[in-house]
Each structure stands twice: as C-alpha cells, then as structure tokens.
Amino acid sequence: MSVAIAIDGPAGAGKSTIARLAAKELGFIYVDTGALYRAIGLAASRKGYTADDKEAVIGMLSTIKVELAFNEKQEQIVLLDGEDVSGLIRTPEISMMASAVSAIPEVRAFLLDLQRNMAHTENVIMDGRDIGTVVLPDAKVKIFLSASPECRARRRYDELVEKGMDVKYEDILSDVVARDYADSHRDIAPLKPADNAIIVDTSGEDLETSVNKLLTVMREQL
Ligand code: DC
C-alpha cells in the first residue's frame, strides 16, 4: 500500500520548496499539481484565449495531452503534448490563467484521475489546493500550509528576480491577493483546509525551520 501526504495552501506559502525537500528526506515522490493547471493555462494562452473563454477552454481539453514525468534527478517535469513546458509555466501571466482555468469544473475533472493514479503506485507528497479535501481525501497526513500575503509575495518576488525576471513587488502582492480570493471563493473545490488537516503557518520563518517543522508533523502522523 502506498502512502500519501497532502499539502494544501495558498500561492507562495512555500509549499513546493518545503514539500520537495521533505519528500527527499522521507524518500517520497513530490508531485506539484499546480503545474498541471499551469500547463492548461499555457495551452489556453497559446491559443489566444482569455480567462473568460470558458467554453473554448473546455473544448480544448480533448485536443491536448498533459502529463507529469520525472527527469534523471527525480525532479518533476510537466509535458504539454510531449513538450517540456516546466519553465514556461512560471510567469505571472500563466499564474493568473492557471487560476482562471482551475475554476472550471471540466478542467478539474480532466486532471483528477491523473493526480489520483500517481498516488496509487508511489509514496507521494502531493501539493495543491484541494488534495486533502478532494483528490486524496484518505491521505495519511494532511497539512494546510500558510503564511501572510506579504510574506508570500516577498518569497515569490525573490524567486522570480533570481530567475532574472523583471517584476515589481507591488504587482506580485496584488496578484497573490487576487489569486487567494479567486482560489478560495470558487464554487468547485475551493481552497480550504480539510477537516482533519494540521494547519502550519510559516510566516517569518526561514526554509530550514519550516521544513523541520513539517517533517516533525509528518513523522508524528505517519
Ligand atoms: O500552486 P500553483 O501556484 O502553481 O497553482 C497554480 C494555480 O492552479 C492556482 O491559482 C490554483 C490552481 N490549483 C488548483 O486549483 N488546484 C490544485 N490542486 C493546484 C493548483
């Protein structure tokens, strides 16, 4: 029987960095489900669709193939019609498109089995918004990771600047606030802690402290 750990929380809470390191430590596979929504956001953006073109996005689903794979370093890559788009999905524009397409029920249904199948065969730490509530309701450990919007915006800003992108902190903060609102107010699978999730706040903590805090919670629950 494989074991699943679900980590949910808002954009920029440090889920992916913390979950990746914790997975390495525990020998689990790390699955970043946001990359799937981003790949669909990218596909829609390439077609010239906007956040309002719901019917067009739904129609597009039967024409695209989205897959998760792992490279030789065991890092996750996301493939759109066989093309590795892992780098292309990390822009602020695609973040907003991902949030928009993720509110479409057909998009969520399209990605559900893919996510569940990964957890059937492997021990996973899966991060997203609805992993503990919808995708893996029987996950052995459920964590809801959060931090203040300012702290999350600062982390995302530093990440993008490090990648050489020309971005403004104020823009990132307003994106974070807008995305939080959209993700937690949508009708389907809104961002919220599962009833039995452990809530962990990482505001003002460095990475090492957060990872250790999470590993302690996971080891206690496993
Ligand atoms: O985690 P992320 O920032 O890469 O996610 C991008 C968008 O995808 C985010 O705005 C919400 C959506 N998402 C979702 O609705 N459900 C998930 N399990 C993961 C991401």
Side-chain angles (χ1 to χ4, degrees):
M1 262 285 278
S2 55
V3 176
I5 298 177
I7 303 190
D8 292 300
K15 293 189 304 288
S16 57
T17 315
I18 297 172
R20 187 177 294 116
L21 290 168
K24 210 171 192 177
E25 192 67 29
L26 295 174
F28 280 33
I29 286 192
Y30 164 61
V31 182
D32 161 21
T33 62
L36 297 168
Y37 292 92
R38 288 171 178 272
I40 294 182
L42 176 69
S45 156
R46 280 179 168 176
K47 295 246 182 226
Y49 303 154
T50 67
D52 294 327
D53 294 328
K54 280 193 189 134
E55 291 308 319
V57 171
I58 294 168
M60 180 189 77
L61 294 174
S62 59
T63 69
I64 60 169
K65 193 165 180 207
V66 177
E67 296 161 285
L68 288 183
F70 294 87
N71 66 17
E72 63 286 349
K73 288 191 215 150
Q74 283 306 303
E75 292 161 347
Q76 174 187 296
I77 54 174
V78 59
L79 305 172
L80 174 61
D81 296 326
E83 175 192 353
D84 179 358
V85 294
S86 312
L88 298 175
I89 57 172
R90 299 289 161 196
T91 65
E93 183 208 341
I94 300 303
S95 298
M96 292 314 279
M97 271 307 273
S99 181
V101 300
S102 74
I104 303 174
E106 287 80 353
V107 169
R108 307 201 71 83
F110 178 77
L111 295 175
L112 194 56
D113 283 348
L114 198 164
Q115 297 170 84
R116 284 188 176 155
N117 289 342
M118 300 203 71
H120 273 154
T121 45
E122 308 278 356
N123 291 341
V124 293
I125 295 190
M126 192 174 280
D127 99 33
R129 303 294 189 284
D130 62 338
I131 308 305
T133 50
V134 177
V135 179
L136 305 175
D138 298 325
K140 184 93 196 274
V141 184
K142 296 181 187 177
I143 291 167
F144 192 85
L145 201 63
S146 197
S148 69
E150 291 75 17
C151 171
R152 291 184 282 123
R154 172 62 57 190
R155 288 180 188 157
R156 187 123 303 181
Y157 172 81
D158 290 346
E159 216 174 274
L160 293 173
V161 167
E162 197 173 308
K163 284 185 186 152
M165 294 172 84
D166 182 19
V167 285
K168 287 201 189 81
Y169 170 76
E170 289 69 27
D171 293 346
I172 306 279
L173 178 60
S174 58
D175 276 7
V176 163
V177 171
R179 238 164 23 107
D180 278 1
Y181 187 86
D183 292 348
S184 51
H185 286 80
R186 66 183 176 215
D187 292 336
I188 180 163
L191 169 67
K192 63 164 191 213
D195 288 339
N196 48 351
I198 296 162
I199 299 177
V200 179
D201 192 301
T202 67
S203 302
E205 279 177 7
D206 64 17
L207 188 60
E208 202 185 336
T209 311
S210 301
V211 173
N212 286 334
K213 201 162 157 183
L214 227 70
L215 278 170
T216 304
V217 170
M218 289 171 183
R219 288 190 170 119
E220 274 168 12
Q221 304 281 313
L222 281 173

